[in-house]
Amino acid sequence: FAMQATPVRAADIAAGHLLWVAVRVAITCTAMLAVIAAFGAVASWWGVLAVPAAVLTGAAFAGPVAAYAAGLRSSHGLSGIARFVVMPLFLFSGTFFPVEQLPSWAGTAARAVPLWHGVELCRGLMTDDLGAGRAVMHVAYLVLWTAAGTWLAARRFEKRLVV
């Protein structure tokens, strides 16, 4: 609310928040890539692109979550996101076991969320097992989520902050 007292627009506040989230994700992922590379687990130089892919994945989630959070009156609603959204997505996104092992309906649902696309993109870059067509498809899907989430967050910030 203090930023709103300046000449900055609500959309600028949303963009600044989402940019800060992207910077934090980039710092974390760069540190993780350094550790992974130190242990020799990067099979290709394409692995360096896993950092921007991870940042794009984080941005795909940051917008919708920021839009949701902008509508909350207290922080109590955020614990539900961790428990009922983030944890199931993390478990059923192909991070720990292939999505193909899930029932067909669950595999289809897993492929519809951006985390699966981010996992597939980062894994493919790290193992040098990613075709250009699949990479473009994953990036396009994540960009779509990022753009829609950013737009939605800007609208929600404006609704919440502009009186």
Side-chain angles (χ1 to χ4, degrees), residues 2-82:
M3 285 187 273
Q4 186 63 26
T6 69
V8 176
R9 297 174 304 143
D12 298 329
I13 296 170
H17 170 71
L18 297 175
L19 180 62
W20 173 240
V21 169
V23 168
R24 288 181 59 196
V25 171
I27 291 168
T28 303
C29 292
T30 301
M32 288 300 299
L33 181 63
V35 170
I36 291 169
F39 282 98
V42 181
S44 166
W45 284 104
W46 288 107
V48 173
L49 293 178
V51 172
V55 170
L56 184 58
T57 304
F61 279 98
V65 170
Y68 170 73
L72 294 177
R73 297 287 179 211
S74 72
S75 63
H76 298 297
L78 295 175
S79 63
I81 288 212

Side-chain angles (χ1 to χ4, degrees), residues 11 13 50 53 72 75 79 96 104 111-113 119 122 127 137 152 157:
I13 296 170
L72 294 177
S75 63
S79 63
F96 299 113
S104 64
R111 288 179 184 91
V113 297
V119 167
C122 289
T127 61
M137 186 261 309
L152 186 60
F157 271 56

Side-chain angles (χ1 to χ4, degrees), residues 45-153:
W45 284 104
W46 288 107
V48 173
L49 293 178
V51 172
V55 170
L56 184 58
T57 304
F61 279 98
V65 170
Y68 170 73
L72 294 177
R73 297 287 179 211
S74 72
S75 63
H76 298 297
L78 295 175
S79 63
I81 288 212
R83 184 173 296 131
F84 300 115
V85 177
V86 174
M87 189 56 68
L89 286 177
F90 190 57
L91 291 174
F92 302 111
S93 64
T95 305
F96 299 113
F97 52 87
V99 170
E100 293 76 26
Q101 292 180 352
L102 296 172
S104 64
W105 65 269
T108 301
R111 288 179 184 91
V113 297
L115 187 56
W116 179 79
H117 292 275
V119 167
E120 288 294 307
L121 184 59
C122 289
R123 182 177 287 135
L125 290 167
M126 295 291 283
T127 61
D128 197 19
D129 184 32
L130 182 69
R134 284 181 32 223
V136 168
M137 186 261 309
H138 292 310
V139 168
Y141 194 77
L142 292 171
V143 166
L144 178 68
W145 270 84
T146 301
T150 301
W151 178 83
L152 186 60

